[in-house]
Amino acid sequence: MAEDDRSFVDHYAVLGLPSSEEGTKISLEEIKKAYRNQSRIRHPDKRPNDPNATADFQFLTTSFEVLSNETTRSCFDAKLRTRRERVLRDSFQNAKRRKMATDLEQRERSVAVDPSQEVRRKEKMKADELKREIAEFKARRMKKAFEPLNRKDNVEGEKKDSSLDKGRMLKAIWETSAGDYSAAKLRGIFETFGIVEDVVIRTNSLKKKSSAIIVMASKGATVRAIQSMSGDTTNPLLVLPLESIAPSFSSTSSTNQNESMGPEFNNVVGAGFQNYEAFVMKKLQEAYEKNKCM
């Protein structure tokens, strides 16, 4: 291809005529006229001191012979058209290559000018990923918040509650006028008898009394607390076992009532405890009479 380009001769240009599409429209008479004009100028007799005059004139004669013959001129025009199309195609491809090279250079220059651009891009990607994870986490939290409790969890919770040993629980009652008993204060009082696992206070602003449930770590600590605090008549707290006394309505004696509590509470004394027993008996009797009437 390169050798053809070097050896290619535009015969129209040799005769001083326009080439390309315009050359194909030139008449034979115009070609002859152009040859005669060029011959008068380029004949060797006109250039006796030019060593290349003879070769140049032969070159002119060859171009005239090609263009003056219809067959050879048609072949040359076809060759000229093919070459022109190839030049245009190569020019277009070269333009595309130049544009790609220019774009690449611009990108390289932009990166060279701002080396932190890639760092910012990666940071943005990480930030977007973190936002997505946070959104997914919030969605799971919302879904979990509105889901009904699993039935298995309910059953296990019920079993756990039912297995709680009420023998380790006691109830403390006090007049609201006697002072403010917070959970921390009650825990401090009952920790003198053993480890306190939990304190739950029940208050009612409409009533004169408040109460709390204290969960001890052992039954022994529960017994010690009841025996000690119920025996102190000056103690404003009325301390009782959580499990209610269940006396029969046919026997209301104090001895039978203490026996129903079991051997651990037989020695529990104190005016407050005895008053509470009478209070419970009264309430049970009233409930019994009410049920009889119904």
Side-chain angles (χ1 to χ4, degrees):
M1 186 70 68
E3 185 176 356
D4 290 343
D5 290 340
R6 287 194 299 268
S7 62
F8 175 77
V9 178
D10 188 347
H11 298 297
Y12 291 103
V14 173
L15 294 174
L17 297 171
S19 187
S20 301
E21 291 295 333
E22 295 182 8
T24 60
K25 299 177 182 179
I26 297 174
S27 66
L28 180 59
E29 291 300 325
E30 290 175 320
I31 293 173
K32 290 178 179 180
K33 182 179 179 180
Y35 174 68
R36 287 193 297 267
N37 291 335
Q38 290 294 326
S39 295
R40 285 194 294 268
I41 299 171
R42 298 162 66 179
H43 196 277
D45 295 341
K46 300 292 184 180
R47 298 182 293 171
N49 297 325
D50 187 357
N52 297 322
T54 301
D56 181 62
F57 186 76
Q58 183 62 41
F59 194 65
L60 176 65
T61 303
T62 301
S63 295
F64 172 71
E65 290 175 352
V66 171
L67 297 179
S68 61
N69 184 278
E70 184 178 355
T71 302
T72 55
R73 182 182 180 185
S74 297
C75 293
F76 175 73
D77 288 343
K79 184 178 181 180
L80 189 64
R81 184 170 52 254
T82 301
R83 183 177 183 278
R84 188 166 59 248
E85 291 174 353
R86 179 170 57 82
V87 170
L88 290 174
R89 184 172 60 254
D90 292 345
S91 176
F92 177 74
Q93 291 177 351
N94 290 335
K96 288 182 63 177
R97 293 191 190 98
R98 286 193 297 271
K99 186 177 184 304
M100 292 175 62
T102 302
D103 293 343
L104 180 60
E105 290 176 359
Q106 290 178 350
R107 288 196 295 270
E108 290 176 349
R109 283 197 299 269
S110 65
V111 172
V113 172
D114 188 6
S116 63
Q117 183 176 1
E118 181 67 15
V119 176
R120 290 198 299 269
R121 186 183 67 84
K122 291 182 179 180
E123 289 178 350
K124 184 178 183 302
M125 290 177 61
K126 291 180 180 179
D128 293 342
E129 180 67 17
L130 180 61
K131 289 180 181 179
R132 184 184 64 78
E133 291 178 356
I134 292 174
E136 291 178 354
F137 174 75
K138 289 182 178 179
R140 288 195 299 268
R141 289 287 301 273
M142 290 294 293
K143 182 179 179 182
K144 186 176 181 181
F146 287 99
E147 282 181 351
L149 292 175
N150 186 280
R151 180 171 179 79
K152 181 179 179 180
D153 294 339
N154 289 339
V155 173
E156 290 179 354
E158 291 173 0
K159 289 182 179 179
K160 183 177 180 180
D161 293 339
S162 62
S163 63
L164 187 61
D165 187 1
K166 293 184 179 180
R168 296 188 292 108
M169 303 170 66
L170 49 86
K171 185 174 183 179
I173 304 173
W174 66 93
E175 298 283 345
T176 54
S177 59
D180 181 21
Y181 285 87
S182 62
K185 185 175 181 180
L186 290 172
R187 183 181 291 272
I189 294 173
F190 286 93
E191 279 181 347
T192 59
F193 309 109
I195 298 174
V196 178
E197 292 185 351
D198 197 8
V199 177
V200 181
I201 297 178
R202 300 179 62 186
T203 59
N204 191 331
S205 59
L206 300 179
K207 294 184 178 180
K208 296 181 180 181
K209 292 188 178 185
S210 298
S211 63
I213 303 297
I214 296 91
V215 182
M216 306 298 291
S218 64
K219 290 184 178 180
T222 305
V223 172
R224 288 192 296 273
I226 295 175
Q227 289 177 340
S228 177
M229 301 191 72
S230 297
D232 184 2
T233 57
T234 63
N235 179 27
L237 293 175
L238 174 62
V239 182
L240 306 165
L242 185 64
E243 290 183 333
S244 302
I245 302 170
S248 63
F249 293 112
S250 60
S251 175
T252 59
S253 66
S254 175
T255 302
N256 290 340
Q257 291 168 11
N258 287 336
E259 288 176 356
S260 66
M261 293 175 62
E264 292 178 336
F265 299 104
N266 284 340
N267 296 326
V268 175
V269 294
F273 184 71
Q274 293 172 358
N275 291 338
Y276 183 74
E277 280 188 301
F279 172 77
V280 172
M281 288 298 301
K282 181 179 178 181
K283 291 296 183 182
L284 292 175
Q285 185 67 39
E286 290 176 355
Y288 176 76
E289 296 295 335
K290 184 178 181 180
N291 290 333
K292 284 178 61 178
C293 295
M294 293 177 65

